[in-house]
Amino acid sequence: MKIKSWQFRPHNIIVFTYTIVFIFWAFPSFDYFRKGFDQPLSLLSLGGLGLIIAIITAWCTAYLAYNIGKNTAPIRPGGKLSINQALPNNSYFIFIILSSIGLLAVFYSLIKSGGSSFIMDSIQTGKANELKKAMYEDYSIGVISLRYASIMCGALLIARRLSGLKNNLLDSAAVILVLCTALLSSRLTVSASIFGGLYLFIHFKKEIKISSTYVFLSALLIFLLFSALNWSRNYGFYERIGLGFISGGFSEMLAYLGTPFQGALYAISNIGSNFTTDQMFSATTIETALTTNSAFLELTTENAWFGLLELYCLIAASAFSIGFCETYKGGKYICCAVPLIYSFAELWRLSMFDKGLTITVIILAFLVAQLSQRRMIAK
């Protein structure tokens, strides 16, 4: 099995992710698994046709913007940077320091809210979601936002390890930071780290060969990891509905991946009708606890056609930036593309392009590149 760099371009990620979510949307519940909604909307309708057109338009927008960005960026005379030039030890170290400061701020915030016993009790009783709620009760942008640097710690860990670059001390610190951030803040940290790391590795390698057995074992390991994180947060909920560790983990996948396709179908079918959130939940039968139910739904609920136009503008700007960062000075700012490329991987459920997490990581990646590579790369 071969994985090539063109498969990690923003326009192709759109097609791949929507194919995956369609499969999970269509997967039967067998009257056992939790899917996140009761009755699927009809795909053989004007709404279904409209969604296909909307996805094709997103693909074309991303394709054109990415190639324009790639072709307008100044090329480095010495060619593309090697992976150890673009992702050096000092960059890795700075990201780890920033992430550590942010995570310490998270711990301080949680201890201030409920004490150290609150943290331990939440984890031990499978209610880690309470930690995130407590953190956001009196939330303000600042040092605590540095926890998002753990995404880059995880991405560099994976990309460097796969390339044969090892630093056991930094690698161990990165693993701890990613897992702690995922437990105390968001599971998205893990998925963003994995996807970002693969993106960086394949960007420099262009093509990798991987056995089907390795793919299966990796997928199984990722499933078990996310199931464990899910169980730490929702143990009580799944126990009440009679699901265990494995069935609960798979149900969470069904709900997480399939529900946004249901939301997208409704959004495109009712664009411009000024529907309310309550009407959407009633018509789609989506569980009210699920809040990330498609980027199309997110931006068209209040702004209708202008929301759709806004989404396409964000797609264009992000795809252009990715193409530019990949080429500019041999990839000096390639790390700035990581949160943006991951935003394309999440486009099926929400628009992350202009969210605080994405903007924070872009700024940190830019500053780290300036600090750590100033003497390495000719300007």
Side-chain angles (χ1 to χ4, degrees), residues 258-280:
T259 300
F261 194 85
Q262 179 92 334
L265 272 173
Y266 180 83
I268 298 300
S269 299
N270 295 275
I271 191 168
S273 64
N274 296 319
F275 59 86
T276 65
T277 303
D278 289 339
Q279 288 173 328
M280 182 277 294

Side-chain angles (χ1 to χ4, degrees), residues 12-330:
N12 294 326
I13 290 172
I14 291 174
V15 174
F16 177 74
T17 52
Y18 266 99
T19 301
I20 294 295
V21 299
F22 167 73
I23 292 171
F24 277 87
W25 172 79
F27 193 89
S29 67
F30 298 109
D31 294 324
Y32 178 70
F33 296 111
R34 170 188 174 235
K35 286 195 66 174
F37 61 92
D38 296 326
Q39 295 294 329
L41 298 175
S42 175
L43 188 61
L44 302 176
S45 61
L46 285 177
L49 177 62
L51 180 57
I52 293 171
I53 293 172
I55 294 171
I56 292 173
T57 304
W59 185 93
C60 292
T61 302
Y63 175 82
L64 290 172
Y66 172 79
N67 283 287
I68 291 172
K70 202 170 184 67
N71 292 324
T72 55
I75 299 174
R76 180 172 176 262
K80 190 169 73 172
L81 298 174
S82 64
I83 194 166
N84 60 324
Q85 288 178 308
L87 311 177
N89 278 336
N90 48 356
S91 291
Y92 198 10
F93 177 73
I94 296 171
F95 278 125
I96 286 174
I97 293 298
L98 292 173
S99 179
S100 299
I101 294 171
L103 201 56
L104 287 173
V106 171
F107 274 113
Y108 175 76
S109 174
L110 293 175
I111 290 173
K112 188 178 177 181
S113 296
S116 56
S117 59
F118 166 64
I119 299 175
M120 295 305 299
D121 290 343
S122 297
I123 295 172
Q124 290 173 357
T125 58
K127 296 179 180 178
N129 272 336
E130 297 300 320
L131 298 175
K132 187 175 181 179
K133 291 178 183 177
M135 185 179 65
Y136 278 99
E137 281 178 0
D138 189 26
Y139 188 82
S140 60
I141 297 173
V143 177
I144 201 169
S145 299
L146 293 177
R147 72 188 187 278
Y148 294 136
S150 62
I151 291 173
M152 293 309 306
C153 295
L156 265 66
L157 164 68
I158 292 170
R160 285 164 52 93
R161 276 274 171 172
L162 290 175
S163 302
L165 300 176
K166 299 179 181 180
N167 185 310
N168 291 334
L169 181 60
L170 296 180
D171 292 347
S172 299
V175 170
I176 294 170
L177 289 169
V178 170
L179 293 179
C180 286
T181 306
L183 185 63
L184 299 175
S185 179
S186 175
R187 288 167 293 180
L188 182 148
T189 306
V190 176
S191 55
S193 295
I194 294 171
F195 193 87
L198 291 175
Y199 163 72
L200 290 173
F201 175 64
I202 293 172
H203 169 73
F204 289 102
K205 287 292 183 180
K206 291 299 182 184
E207 177 181 305
I208 60 171
K209 293 181 180 180
I210 187 170
S211 69
S212 299
T213 302
Y214 187 80
V215 171
F216 172 77
L217 291 175
S218 299
L220 179 61
L221 181 61
I222 291 170
F223 169 74
L224 292 174
L225 175 59
F226 277 98
S227 293
L229 290 171
N230 173 58
W231 200 247
S232 73
R233 292 172 176 272
N234 304 304
Y235 163 74
F237 170 76
Y238 280 107
E239 188 178 51
R240 285 195 302 272
I241 62 176
L243 295 177
F245 177 81
I246 298 297
S247 56
F250 186 70
S251 292
E252 189 73 9
M253 283 179 58
L254 284 176
Y256 183 80
L257 294 170
T259 300
F261 194 85
Q262 179 92 334
L265 272 173
Y266 180 83
I268 298 300
S269 299
N270 295 275
I271 191 168
S273 64
N274 296 319
F275 59 86
T276 65
T277 303
D278 289 339
Q279 288 173 328
M280 182 277 294
F281 280 120
S282 176
T284 59
T285 68
I286 293 174
E287 297 172 9
T288 55
L290 300 174
T291 55
T292 54
N293 299 316
S294 165
F296 288 115
L297 184 62
E298 177 188 355
L299 292 176
T300 60
T301 299
E302 295 182 359
N303 299 318
W305 292 102
F306 286 106
L308 191 62
L309 178 61
E310 178 188 352
L311 180 60
Y312 289 137
C313 288
L314 289 170
I315 288 172
S318 300
F320 175 90
S321 300
I322 291 169
F324 190 90
C325 289
E326 287 181 354
T327 307
Y328 182 73
K329 292 188 177 179

